[in-house]
Amino acid sequence: MRSFIGAVALMAGVLAPRLVLGAPPVTPMQRDVLRAVEERDVSASSSGVDLYPRASTCNTPSNRACWSPGFDINTDYETSIPTTGVTRNYVLTLSEVDNWTGPDGVVKSKVMLINGKILGPTLVADWGDFFQITVINNLRTNGTSIHWHGIRQLGSNLHDGANGVTECPIPPKGGSKIYKFRAQQYGSSWYHSHFSAQYGNGVVGAIQINGPASLPYDIDLGPMPLSDYYYRTADEVVIFTENNGAPASDNVLFNGFGKHPTTGAGQYANITLTPGKRHRLRLINTSTENHFQVSLANHTFTIIASDFVPVQAQTVDSVFLGVGQRMDVTIDASKAIGNYWLNVTFGGQGFCGSSNNPAPAAIVHYAGASGGLPTNPGVAPVDAQCMDLLNLTPVVQRTVPTTFNKTPGNTMPVTIDLSGATGKLFVWKVNGSAINVDWNKPIVDYVLTGNTSYPTNENLVKIDAVNQWTFWLIENDPNGPFSLPHPIHLHGHDFVVLGRSPLATPASQTTYIFDPATDGANLDGSNPMRRDVTMLPAKGWLLIAFKTDNPGSWLMHCHIAWHVSGGLSVDFLERAADFRAGISPADALAFNTNCAAWRAYFPSADPFPKIDSGLRHKYVRA
């Protein structure tokens, strides 16, 4: 009976009625000053702006495909990287504030900020530069670790920022750690805490790595992070979703700005376009739960990159962004000079998330247009049904064999446990197990000490093959009471998507089980879509592959915060012997030093227990 009630609760959370599209309310309170997106802090250096001149380059508005001598859009960035000799230094200081007035005027009981802001500074570098980022944890009781989403971390796995896997958490009250890694890829991404749903409290920011592009453009508008926003703390939502369906977000923020849908408090983010010019916009979904469809009234987007992968230009009416995904698009300022709504909408019958703001939006303002709000609400985009595009063509090509033999060893069933045996109604499992990492003894500790007695609840998957394609079939609970779409993210690799089950509305709960006889013939290994986050269909399957060319300990998890909190993750331990041999003495020393500091704090001095997977943790209000 409890299982049935749990299923009803979760389904109710995703099927609540909501409006799909409409212009934000037009009231006198909303006719205030517009905040320009380009007025952004691009540095976290403690000494102020930390910008470096770029070396001689052939990258111009009319030829973005070229970058510098010997490097262009066709260069394989996994094998050839510019040597710049530049290190970009940043300092990120985490702090904790109670009774904080948010961007839409609502007071939150607690936030956790980076450098005093709800959205941390954009980390900017050029392709081939090094990042050196000092993270100072001034939180009161929470540890932290910062993950640099999508960064390959070749040879720098200990800087991946996954606590309980690649490091112990950085202790609070002044603990610090220096992360250093190379900008081997280029494009757009983000960074966020991997300790609890902490990033939902504000520990998040954008990354911009400049490099070539597959289409000429005149102006780079920079990152546009889009995020769901909750008036409850992320930790309270984690606890709520242990026994309930996910709540609707209270609002959606555009680059950290948002309007309250009824009071009109707050500001719309504003993007300024120069008439007659082509602009690049870096869309990033930094949400904890909401997937978005993004459209611009009376305009189209041309996609030039998905995640960190440059793609052949493709023009679309809207883009779908699952949690963690990025789309670099260009916008031609070829319409009548005026103001236009940049809309976020929800599809998939509520299975893509929802918001109490019926029409989240920002404003795209043509230079020379008068002020005020746009008048055309735009047209609702075709519903993507919570699925991302498969027909994006990477510029740098990969050919992958498509002979796939389904076995228990390469099949990962995702299931939901509604038994309540753990005291929680919703527990998410992969391979029949919910991950539960040990903060005090990360997997790297096992690797450094040569200990191969890995605990079962680490959900470890060992891979020993060298430079071989490895294939993984993920099946989404075809026999369960219900199923939700999941944004699957892999650390340390781009993966290719060889195939997935046919498109179906999530609400239909249509079951598809991989059939080698019929589905095998339809797999695509000829330069298929490649990225680091893709959507696993509800009650369907997904077949991905990646090459074992990056020794390390790499998480693969659902990027919905409440799901990874509930256990939906595995850890690929790739080429353990090579991984151990490649760890530098300096990295090993830094790892052990930070772990010693953390162990001195947790659990003896931590007032709060570990209550979930360890990739998620709670702050409990006093």
Side-chain angles (χ1 to χ4, degrees), residues 293-432:
Q293 283 190 241
V294 187
S295 59
L296 176 57
N298 202 31
H299 290 71
T300 58
F301 296 129
T302 300
I303 301 169
I304 61 172
S306 59
D307 298 348
F308 268 137
V309 179
V311 299
Q312 301 292 349
Q314 179 179 156
T315 299
V316 295
D317 292 327
S318 67
V319 295
F320 173 85
L321 286 174
V323 177
Q325 290 187 323
R326 293 87 68 205
M327 283 284 191
D328 286 33
V329 300
T330 64
I331 304 169
D332 288 335
S334 58
K335 302 299 183 179
I337 293 176
N339 301 308
Y340 298 85
W341 287 120
L342 179 70
N343 291 307
V344 155
T345 55
F346 297 89
Q349 306 85 50
F351 283 78
C352 301
S354 62
S355 178
N356 293 329
N357 184 344
I363 295 176
V364 171
H365 169 80
Y366 275 62
S370 60
L373 300 179
T375 57
N376 178 8
V379 178
V382 174
D383 194 338
Q385 301 297 341
C386 310
M387 288 294 107
D388 43 15
L389 293 175
L390 284 183
N391 64 344
L392 297 174
T393 304
V395 174
V396 177
Q397 299 188 15
R398 302 277 186 265
T399 300
V400 185
T402 56
T403 301
F404 174 72
N405 297 311
K406 179 181 177 181
T407 68
N410 60 27
T411 302
M412 292 185 173
V414 171
T415 55
I416 187 167
D417 181 351
L418 297 173
S419 68
T422 63
K424 305 170 189 177
L425 189 53
F426 300 135
V427 177
W428 299 91
K429 296 183 175 182
V430 185
N431 294 332

Side-chain angles (χ1 to χ4, degrees), residues 235-285:
D235 316 271
E236 291 173 296
V237 180
V238 166
I239 296 169
F240 177 82
T241 55
E242 289 176 351
N243 294 287
N244 300 274
S249 64
D250 292 294
N251 213 333
V252 173
L253 302 184
F254 294 71
N255 196 41
F257 297 96
K259 274 280 195 177
H260 195 285
T262 55
T263 69
Q267 297 175 335
Y268 289 115
N270 183 67
I271 301 169
T272 299
L273 302 184
T274 301
K277 299 294 185 180
R278 178 177 290 165
H279 305 73
R280 177 178 186 163
L281 183 63
R282 301 163 183 265
L283 297 168
I284 307 169
N285 188 345

Side-chain angles (χ1 to χ4, degrees), residues 582-597:
I583 296 174
S584 70
D587 276 354
L589 176 61
F591 172 87
N592 288 321
T593 300
N594 183 64
C595 277

Side-chain angles (χ1 to χ4, degrees), residues 310-591:
V311 299
Q312 301 292 349
Q314 179 179 156
T315 299
V316 295
D317 292 327
S318 67
V319 295
F320 173 85
L321 286 174
V323 177
Q325 290 187 323
R326 293 87 68 205
M327 283 284 191
D328 286 33
V329 300
T330 64
I331 304 169
D332 288 335
S334 58
K335 302 299 183 179
I337 293 176
N339 301 308
Y340 298 85
W341 287 120
L342 179 70
N343 291 307
V344 155
T345 55
F346 297 89
Q349 306 85 50
F351 283 78
C352 301
S354 62
S355 178
N356 293 329
N357 184 344
I363 295 176
V364 171
H365 169 80
Y366 275 62
S370 60
L373 300 179
T375 57
N376 178 8
V379 178
V382 174
D383 194 338
Q385 301 297 341
C386 310
M387 288 294 107
D388 43 15
L389 293 175
L390 284 183
N391 64 344
L392 297 174
T393 304
V395 174
V396 177
Q397 299 188 15
R398 302 277 186 265
T399 300
V400 185
T402 56
T403 301
F404 174 72
N405 297 311
K406 179 181 177 181
T407 68
N410 60 27
T411 302
M412 292 185 173
V414 171
T415 55
I416 187 167
D417 181 351
L418 297 173
S419 68
T422 63
K424 305 170 189 177
L425 189 53
F426 300 135
V427 177
W428 299 91
K429 296 183 175 182
V430 185
N431 294 332
S433 173
I435 199 169
N436 186 10
V437 302
D438 185 345
W439 287 329
N440 286 22
K441 195 175 179 62
I443 289 300
V444 167
D445 188 273
Y446 288 82
V447 174
L448 285 171
T449 59
N451 182 356
T452 58
S453 299
Y454 309 111
T456 301
N457 58 12
E458 297 283 354
N459 276 14
L460 204 69
V461 179
K462 288 192 65 180
I463 305 174
D464 295 322
V466 177
N467 294 332
Q468 301 295 314
W469 286 104
T470 180
F471 302 83
W472 302 97
L473 176 65
I474 308 171
E475 295 184 326
N476 195 358
D477 215 355
N479 301 313
F482 62 89
S483 178
L484 302 176
H486 298 283
I488 301 298
H489 171 50
L490 175 63
H491 292 210
H493 293 271
D494 292 331
F495 51 73
V496 299
V497 180
L498 297 175
R500 72 176 180 216
S501 52
L503 184 66
T505 61
S508 72
Q509 294 288 285
T510 304
T511 298
Y512 290 104
I513 298 175
F514 181 82
D515 183 349
T518 56
D519 296 320
N522 295 322
L523 300 179
D524 181 12
S526 179
N527 198 29
M529 184 185 79
R530 189 169 72 250
R531 59 191 317 166
D532 56 60
V533 184
T534 196
M535 297 299 296
L536 171 65
K539 283 204 174 284
W541 57 267
L542 175 71
L543 181 60
I544 65 172
F546 62 90
K547 205 167 191 178
T548 56
D549 55 4
N550 193 7
S553 186
W554 307 112
L555 282 175
M556 185 174 76
H557 61 90
C558 174
H559 220 296
I560 294 173
W562 339 126
H563 294 181
V564 69
S565 173
L568 209 167
S569 178
V570 297
D571 181 10
F572 288 111
L573 181 55
E574 182 178 342
R575 297 166 53 183
D578 293 334
F579 176 30
R580 180 182 182 185
I583 296 174
S584 70
D587 276 354
L589 176 61
F591 172 87

Side-chain angles (χ1 to χ4, degrees), residues 103-165:
D104 63 357
V106 176
V107 176
K108 292 188 62 168
S109 63
K110 182 178 291 291
V111 291
M112 296 173 177
L113 308 176
I114 299 180
N115 296 0
K117 296 182 179 180
I118 190 68
L119 181 64
T122 298
L123 308 182
V124 181
D126 287 341
W127 183 22
D129 291 351
F130 279 89
F131 285 103
Q132 183 164 297
I133 305 164
T134 301
V135 174
I136 301 171
N137 182 8
N138 284 339
L139 301 177
R140 297 169 192 157
T141 60
N142 267 199
T144 196
S145 68
I146 305 298
H147 172 56
W148 321 97
H149 185 107
I151 298 291
R152 190 165 184 238
Q153 300 288 6
L154 182 67
S156 55
N157 177 256
L158 273 64
H159 298 260
D160 189 49
N163 53 213
V165 179

